[in-house]
Protein backbone atom coordinates (compact mmCIF):
# COMPACT_ATOMS: atom_id res chain seq x y z
CA UNK A 1 0.00 0.00 0.00
CA UNK A 2 1.52 3.28 -1.02
CA UNK A 3 1.89 6.09 1.48
CA UNK A 4 -0.05 8.24 -1.00
CA UNK A 5 -3.41 6.69 -0.20
CA UNK A 6 -6.14 9.20 0.39
CA UNK A 7 -7.53 8.12 3.78
CA UNK A 8 -10.00 10.22 5.71
CA UNK A 9 -10.85 10.42 9.44
CA UNK A 10 -13.30 7.79 10.67
CA UNK A 11 -15.70 10.45 11.94
CA UNK A 12 -14.40 13.94 11.22
CA UNK A 13 -16.98 15.50 13.58
CA UNK A 14 -15.57 13.49 16.53
CA UNK A 15 -12.16 15.18 16.39
CA UNK A 16 -9.04 13.10 16.28
CA UNK A 17 -6.89 13.86 19.29
CA UNK A 18 -6.93 11.23 20.73
CA UNK A 19 -9.76 9.11 19.36
CA UNK A 20 -11.49 6.93 21.95
CA UNK A 21 -13.93 4.10 21.35
CA UNK A 22 -15.54 2.20 24.23
CA UNK A 23 -18.35 -0.20 24.96
CA UNK A 24 -19.01 -3.76 26.03
CA UNK A 25 -17.42 -6.80 24.46
CA UNK A 26 -20.94 -8.03 23.64
CA UNK A 27 -24.38 -6.47 23.45
CA UNK A 28 -26.25 -8.65 25.96
CA UNK A 29 -29.59 -6.96 26.57
CA UNK A 30 -31.26 -3.66 25.80
CA UNK A 31 -30.74 -2.49 29.40
CA UNK A 32 -27.06 -3.44 29.40
CA UNK A 33 -26.42 -1.70 26.06
CA UNK A 34 -28.18 1.50 27.13
CA UNK A 35 -26.46 1.56 30.54
CA UNK A 36 -23.06 1.06 28.90
CA UNK A 37 -23.80 3.72 26.28
CA UNK A 38 -24.92 6.22 28.92
CA UNK A 39 -21.67 5.63 30.83
CA UNK A 40 -19.51 5.90 27.70
CA UNK A 41 -21.22 9.14 26.65
CA UNK A 42 -20.75 10.52 30.18
CA UNK A 43 -16.99 9.96 29.79
CA UNK A 44 -17.09 12.23 26.73
CA UNK A 45 -16.29 9.32 24.42
CA UNK A 46 -17.98 9.80 21.02
CA UNK A 47 -17.88 6.25 19.64
CA UNK A 48 -19.66 3.25 21.15
CA UNK A 49 -18.74 -0.35 20.37
CA UNK A 50 -20.67 -3.54 21.12
CA UNK A 51 -20.29 -7.00 19.57
CA UNK A 52 -23.47 -8.50 18.18
CA UNK A 53 -21.92 -11.54 16.50
CA UNK A 54 -19.06 -12.84 18.65
CA UNK A 55 -16.24 -14.93 17.18
CA UNK A 56 -15.35 -17.21 20.08
CA UNK A 57 -12.26 -19.37 20.25
CA UNK A 58 -14.05 -22.15 22.11
CA UNK A 59 -17.40 -23.56 20.99
CA UNK A 60 -20.14 -23.33 23.54
CA UNK A 61 -19.21 -19.81 24.66
CA UNK A 62 -21.72 -16.98 24.31
CA UNK A 63 -21.75 -16.15 20.61
CA UNK A 64 -23.74 -12.94 20.75
CA UNK A 65 -27.41 -12.06 20.51
CA UNK A 66 -27.19 -11.53 16.74
CA UNK A 67 -29.27 -9.20 14.58
CA UNK A 68 -31.91 -8.29 17.24
CA UNK A 69 -29.18 -6.51 19.23
CA UNK A 70 -28.61 -4.04 16.37
CA UNK A 71 -31.80 -2.21 17.37
CA UNK A 72 -30.34 -1.57 20.86
CA UNK A 73 -27.22 -0.03 19.32
CA UNK A 74 -29.27 2.26 17.15
CA UNK A 75 -31.37 3.22 20.17
CA UNK A 76 -28.16 4.10 22.05
CA UNK A 77 -27.02 6.12 19.04
CA UNK A 78 -30.22 8.18 19.11
CA UNK A 79 -30.47 8.53 22.87
CA UNK A 80 -26.88 9.54 23.59
CA UNK A 81 -25.71 11.02 20.30
CA UNK A 82 -23.02 8.37 19.92
CA UNK A 83 -21.55 6.88 16.79
CA UNK A 84 -22.15 3.14 17.08
CA UNK A 85 -20.07 0.35 15.62
CA UNK A 86 -20.18 -3.43 15.68
CA UNK A 87 -18.13 -6.36 14.41
CA UNK A 88 -18.93 -7.95 11.07
CA UNK A 89 -17.40 -11.13 9.72
CA UNK A 90 -19.55 -11.85 6.65
CA UNK A 91 -21.37 -9.90 3.93
CA UNK A 92 -24.66 -10.85 5.66
CA UNK A 93 -23.52 -9.28 8.94
CA UNK A 94 -22.47 -6.17 7.04
CA UNK A 95 -25.77 -5.85 5.25
CA UNK A 96 -27.81 -6.32 8.42
CA UNK A 97 -25.65 -3.86 10.39
CA UNK A 98 -25.76 -1.16 7.71
CA UNK A 99 -29.46 -1.61 7.15
CA UNK A 100 -30.07 -1.20 10.89
CA UNK A 101 -28.20 2.12 10.76
CA UNK A 102 -24.83 1.61 12.47
CA UNK A 103 -22.20 4.28 11.76
CA UNK A 104 -19.38 1.88 11.11
CA UNK A 105 -18.07 -1.64 11.54
CA UNK A 106 -14.96 -3.37 12.75
CA UNK A 107 -13.36 -6.50 11.39
CA UNK A 108 -12.17 -8.86 14.13
CA UNK A 109 -8.72 -10.38 14.37
CA UNK A 110 -9.84 -13.82 13.26
CA UNK A 111 -11.49 -12.41 10.14
CA UNK A 112 -8.57 -10.14 9.19
CA UNK A 113 -6.43 -13.28 9.15
CA UNK A 114 -8.51 -14.76 6.31
CA UNK A 115 -8.10 -13.11 2.87
CA UNK A 116 -11.18 -14.90 1.45
CA UNK A 117 -13.39 -13.49 4.20
CA UNK A 118 -11.79 -10.05 3.79
CA UNK A 119 -12.42 -10.04 0.04
CA UNK A 120 -16.05 -11.01 0.51
CA UNK A 121 -16.57 -8.17 2.97
CA UNK A 122 -14.68 -5.76 0.70
CA UNK A 123 -16.90 -6.75 -2.26
CA UNK A 124 -19.98 -6.11 -0.14
CA UNK A 125 -18.60 -2.66 0.74
CA UNK A 126 -18.44 -1.50 -2.90
CA UNK A 127 -20.17 1.84 -3.19
CA UNK A 128 -20.90 2.09 0.56
CA UNK A 129 -19.80 5.14 2.55
CA UNK A 130 -19.09 3.87 6.04
CA UNK A 131 -16.26 3.67 8.57
CA UNK A 132 -14.27 0.43 8.73
CA UNK A 133 -11.87 -0.52 11.49
CA UNK A 134 -9.51 -3.39 10.80
CA UNK A 135 -8.13 -5.20 13.84
CA UNK A 136 -4.76 -6.85 13.47
CA UNK A 137 -4.66 -10.49 12.32
CA UNK A 138 -4.08 -13.04 15.09
CA UNK A 139 -0.56 -13.66 13.81
CA UNK A 140 2.07 -10.86 13.81
CA UNK A 141 2.19 -10.50 10.02
CA UNK A 142 2.12 -6.85 8.97
CA UNK A 143 1.60 -7.73 5.30
CA UNK A 144 -1.53 -9.71 6.14
CA UNK A 145 -2.83 -6.71 8.10
CA UNK A 146 -2.01 -4.25 5.28
CA UNK A 147 -3.49 -6.67 2.73
CA UNK A 148 -6.80 -6.66 4.61
CA UNK A 149 -6.78 -2.85 4.81
CA UNK A 150 -5.94 -2.61 1.12
CA UNK A 151 -8.88 -4.83 0.16
CA UNK A 152 -11.20 -2.47 2.06
CA UNK A 153 -9.53 0.55 0.45
CA UNK A 154 -9.89 -0.94 -3.02
CA UNK A 155 -13.61 -1.30 -2.45
CA UNK A 156 -13.79 2.51 -2.31
CA UNK A 157 -14.02 2.99 1.47
CA UNK A 158 -11.87 5.94 2.60
CA UNK A 159 -12.71 6.13 6.29
CA UNK A 160 -10.45 3.33 7.55
CA UNK A 161 -8.59 2.84 10.83
CA UNK A 162 -6.56 -0.02 12.29
CA UNK A 163 -6.76 -1.45 15.80
CA UNK A 164 -3.83 -3.16 17.47
CA UNK A 165 -5.21 -5.88 19.78
CA UNK A 166 -2.09 -7.98 20.21
CA UNK A 167 -1.11 -11.35 18.80
CA UNK A 168 -1.82 -14.92 19.78
CA UNK A 169 1.06 -17.02 21.00
CA UNK A 170 1.58 -20.43 22.54
CA UNK A 171 4.08 -18.96 25.00
CA UNK A 172 2.89 -18.22 28.47
CA UNK A 173 3.06 -14.48 28.87
CA UNK A 174 1.27 -12.22 31.27
CA UNK A 175 -0.75 -10.86 28.32
CA UNK A 176 -3.76 -12.47 26.71
CA UNK A 177 -2.39 -11.34 23.33
CA UNK A 178 1.27 -10.30 23.19
CA UNK A 179 1.51 -6.63 22.11
CA UNK A 180 4.59 -6.95 19.86
CA UNK A 181 4.61 -3.17 19.44
CA UNK A 182 7.02 -3.41 16.52
CA UNK A 183 4.17 -4.68 14.31
CA UNK A 184 1.87 -1.63 14.60
CA UNK A 185 4.96 0.58 14.49
CA UNK A 186 5.85 -1.01 11.16
CA UNK A 187 2.25 -0.54 9.97
CA UNK A 188 2.56 3.15 10.82
CA UNK A 189 5.87 3.39 8.99
CA UNK A 190 4.36 1.79 5.90
CA UNK A 191 1.02 3.67 5.96
CA UNK A 192 1.70 6.93 7.84
CA UNK A 193 -1.69 8.46 7.06
CA UNK A 194 -3.62 5.58 8.69
CA UNK A 195 -5.29 6.15 12.07
CA UNK A 196 -4.04 3.45 14.45
CA UNK A 197 -5.74 2.74 17.77
CA UNK A 198 -4.73 0.30 20.48
CA UNK A 199 -7.04 -2.14 22.29
CA UNK A 200 -5.54 -2.66 25.76
CA UNK A 201 -8.51 -4.83 26.80
CA UNK A 202 -7.74 -7.65 24.36
CA UNK A 203 -3.96 -7.23 24.69
CA UNK A 204 -3.92 -7.46 28.49
CA UNK A 205 -6.96 -9.65 29.04
CA UNK A 206 -7.03 -8.21 32.59
CA UNK A 207 -8.59 -5.09 34.06
CA UNK A 208 -5.48 -4.12 36.00
CA UNK A 209 -3.37 -3.98 32.81
CA UNK A 210 -5.58 -1.52 30.96
CA UNK A 211 -4.15 1.70 32.45
CA UNK A 212 -0.51 0.82 31.86
CA UNK A 213 -1.11 -0.53 28.35
CA UNK A 214 -3.14 2.54 27.42
CA UNK A 215 -0.37 4.89 28.56
CA UNK A 216 2.20 2.78 26.73
CA UNK A 217 0.12 2.94 23.53
CA UNK A 218 -0.18 6.71 23.75
CA UNK A 219 3.57 6.99 24.42
CA UNK A 220 4.35 4.87 21.39
CA UNK A 221 2.29 7.30 19.31
CA UNK A 222 -1.08 5.66 18.72
CA UNK A 223 -3.96 7.90 17.66
CA UNK A 224 -6.33 6.57 20.31
CA UNK A 225 -7.79 3.58 22.12
CA UNK A 226 -10.59 1.04 21.86
CA UNK A 227 -11.54 -0.17 25.34
CA UNK A 228 -14.09 -2.67 26.61
CA UNK A 229 -16.45 -1.19 29.17
CA UNK A 230 -19.47 -2.84 30.83
CA UNK A 231 -21.90 -1.56 33.47
CA UNK A 232 -21.28 -4.67 35.61
CA UNK A 233 -18.13 -6.33 34.30
CA UNK A 234 -18.24 -9.33 36.64
CA UNK A 235 -21.52 -10.38 35.07
CA UNK A 236 -20.38 -9.93 31.46
CA UNK A 237 -21.23 -12.87 29.19
CA UNK A 238 -17.91 -12.55 27.34
CA UNK A 239 -14.47 -11.21 28.29
CA UNK A 240 -15.53 -10.48 31.88
CA UNK A 241 -11.93 -10.34 33.16
CA UNK A 242 -10.94 -7.47 30.91
CA UNK A 243 -13.93 -5.13 31.12
CA UNK A 244 -14.12 -2.08 33.37
CA UNK A 245 -17.04 0.11 34.45
CA UNK A 246 -17.64 3.49 32.80
CA UNK A 247 -16.56 5.18 36.05
CA UNK A 248 -13.26 3.28 36.06
CA UNK A 249 -12.83 4.08 32.38
CA UNK A 250 -13.33 7.82 32.98
CA UNK A 251 -10.80 7.79 35.83
CA UNK A 252 -8.29 5.85 33.79
CA UNK A 253 -8.56 8.20 30.81
CA UNK A 254 -8.16 11.26 33.02
CA UNK A 255 -4.90 9.76 34.28
CA UNK A 256 -3.41 9.35 30.81
CA UNK A 257 -0.58 11.73 30.05
CA UNK A 258 -0.70 13.03 26.53
CA UNK A 259 2.72 14.05 25.33
CA UNK A 260 3.38 17.53 24.08
CA UNK A 261 4.30 16.49 20.57
CA UNK A 262 2.61 14.22 18.11
CA UNK A 263 4.76 11.30 19.12
CA UNK A 264 3.56 9.26 16.15
CA UNK A 265 6.20 11.11 14.18
CA UNK A 266 8.86 10.89 16.83
CA UNK A 267 11.29 8.17 15.92
CA UNK A 268 12.91 8.18 19.37
CA UNK A 269 9.60 7.46 21.12
CA UNK A 270 8.82 4.67 18.70
CA UNK A 271 12.21 3.09 19.31
CA UNK A 272 11.77 3.43 23.07
CA UNK A 273 8.38 1.75 22.81
CA UNK A 274 10.10 -1.07 20.96
CA UNK A 275 12.76 -1.37 23.68
CA UNK A 276 10.07 -1.44 26.40
CA UNK A 277 8.36 -4.27 24.59
CA UNK A 278 11.58 -6.26 24.25
CA UNK A 279 12.39 -5.67 27.93
CA UNK A 280 9.01 -6.94 29.07
CA UNK A 281 9.45 -10.02 26.88
CA UNK A 282 12.91 -10.55 28.41
CA UNK A 283 11.45 -10.42 31.92
CA UNK A 284 8.69 -12.85 30.94
CA UNK A 285 11.20 -15.24 29.39
CA UNK A 286 13.34 -15.11 32.53
CA UNK A 287 10.27 -15.89 34.65
CA UNK A 288 9.48 -18.83 32.36
CA UNK A 289 13.07 -20.04 32.64
CA UNK A 290 12.95 -19.85 36.44
CA UNK A 291 9.75 -21.96 36.41
CA UNK A 292 11.56 -24.63 34.41
CA UNK A 293 14.56 -24.40 36.78
CA UNK A 294 12.17 -25.04 39.70
CA UNK A 295 10.73 -28.09 37.91
CA UNK A 296 14.28 -29.39 37.36
CA UNK A 297 14.93 -28.74 41.06
CA UNK A 298 11.95 -30.96 41.93
CA UNK A 299 13.27 -33.69 39.67
CA UNK A 300 16.75 -33.53 41.20
CA UNK A 301 15.24 -33.68 44.65
CA UNK A 302 13.17 -36.75 43.82
CA UNK A 303 16.13 -38.52 42.25
CA UNK A 304 18.73 -37.37 44.72
CA UNK A 305 20.84 -35.53 42.14
CA UNK A 306 23.18 -32.67 43.15
CA UNK A 307 22.03 -29.19 42.13
CA UNK A 308 25.09 -28.08 40.18
CA UNK A 309 26.19 -30.32 37.33
CA UNK A 310 29.42 -28.69 36.19
CA UNK A 311 29.45 -30.22 32.66
CA UNK A 312 25.89 -29.17 32.02
CA UNK A 313 26.67 -25.59 33.07
CA UNK A 314 29.73 -25.42 30.82
CA UNK A 315 27.76 -26.81 27.90
CA UNK A 316 24.96 -24.29 28.36
CA UNK A 317 27.44 -21.44 28.60
CA UNK A 318 29.36 -22.48 25.49
CA UNK A 319 26.19 -22.78 23.42
CA UNK A 320 25.01 -19.33 24.50
CA UNK A 321 28.42 -17.72 23.97
CA UNK A 322 28.82 -19.16 20.49
CA UNK A 323 25.36 -18.11 19.45
CA UNK A 324 25.86 -14.62 20.87
CA UNK A 325 29.20 -14.17 19.12
CA UNK A 326 27.70 -15.28 15.80
CA UNK A 327 25.16 -12.49 16.32
CA UNK A 328 27.79 -9.81 16.94
CA UNK A 329 27.77 -9.73 20.77
CA UNK A 330 30.80 -10.16 22.97
CA UNK A 331 31.58 -13.38 24.82
CA UNK A 332 32.12 -11.48 28.10
CA UNK A 333 28.71 -9.83 27.92
CA UNK A 334 26.82 -13.09 27.44
CA UNK A 335 29.03 -14.82 30.01
CA UNK A 336 28.06 -12.24 32.63
CA UNK A 337 24.37 -12.48 31.88
CA UNK A 338 24.30 -16.27 31.89
CA UNK A 339 26.35 -16.48 35.09
CA UNK A 340 23.74 -14.29 36.79
CA UNK A 341 20.84 -16.34 35.40
CA UNK A 342 22.48 -19.62 36.34
CA UNK A 343 23.29 -18.37 39.82
CA UNK A 344 19.64 -17.46 40.39
CA UNK A 345 18.46 -20.89 39.13
CA UNK A 346 20.93 -22.64 41.43
CA UNK A 347 19.72 -20.50 44.32
CA UNK A 348 16.10 -21.51 43.65
CA UNK A 349 17.04 -25.19 43.53
CA UNK A 350 19.19 -25.06 46.65
CA UNK A 351 16.35 -23.38 48.53
CA UNK A 352 14.08 -26.27 47.50
CA UNK A 353 16.56 -28.82 48.92
CA UNK A 354 16.93 -26.83 52.12
CA UNK A 355 13.16 -26.82 52.65
CA UNK A 356 13.11 -30.61 52.47
C1 LIG B 1 -13.76 -7.82 20.29
O1 LIG B 1 -13.38 -6.69 19.96
O2 LIG B 1 -14.62 -8.04 21.16
C2 LIG B 1 -13.11 -8.97 19.64
C3 LIG B 1 -13.72 -10.13 19.46
O3 LIG B 1 -11.87 -8.68 19.34
P1 LIG B 1 -10.71 -9.49 18.55
O4 LIG B 1 -11.19 -9.67 17.17
O5 LIG B 1 -9.60 -8.50 18.68
O6 LIG B 1 -10.47 -10.77 19.30
MN1 LIG C 1 -14.03 -8.89 23.63
Amino acid sequence: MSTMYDLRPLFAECGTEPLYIAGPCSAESREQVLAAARGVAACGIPIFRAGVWKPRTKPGSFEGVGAPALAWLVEAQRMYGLKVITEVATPEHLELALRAGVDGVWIGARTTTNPFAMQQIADALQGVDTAVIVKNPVIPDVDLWIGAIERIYNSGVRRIAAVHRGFGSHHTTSYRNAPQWSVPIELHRRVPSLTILSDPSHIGGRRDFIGRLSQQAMDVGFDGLMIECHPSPDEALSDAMQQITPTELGEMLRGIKLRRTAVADNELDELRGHIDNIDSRLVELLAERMDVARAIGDYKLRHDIAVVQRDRYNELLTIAENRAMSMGMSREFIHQIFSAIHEESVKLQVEKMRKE
Side-chain angles (χ1 to χ4, degrees), residues 108-173:
R110 294 158 189 80
T111 308
T112 307
T113 310
N114 179 349
F116 289 129
M118 283 312 303
Q119 192 55 52
Q120 286 186 342
I121 295 169
D123 290 344
L125 278 165
Q126 289 275 350
V128 177
D129 178 20
T130 193
V132 179
I133 296 171
V134 183
K135 287 191 141 195
N136 66 249
V138 285
I139 55 168
D141 180 340
V142 78
D143 289 311
L144 194 56
W145 198 358
I146 293 178
I149 292 166
E150 202 165 339
R151 287 177 202 274
I152 301 294
Y153 187 88
N154 290 344
S155 76
V157 174
R158 291 294 172 266
R159 293 187 288 136
I160 305 177
V163 167
H164 164 239
R165 48 76 82 195
F167 302 91
S169 153
H170 66 282
H171 295 296
T172 25
T173 76

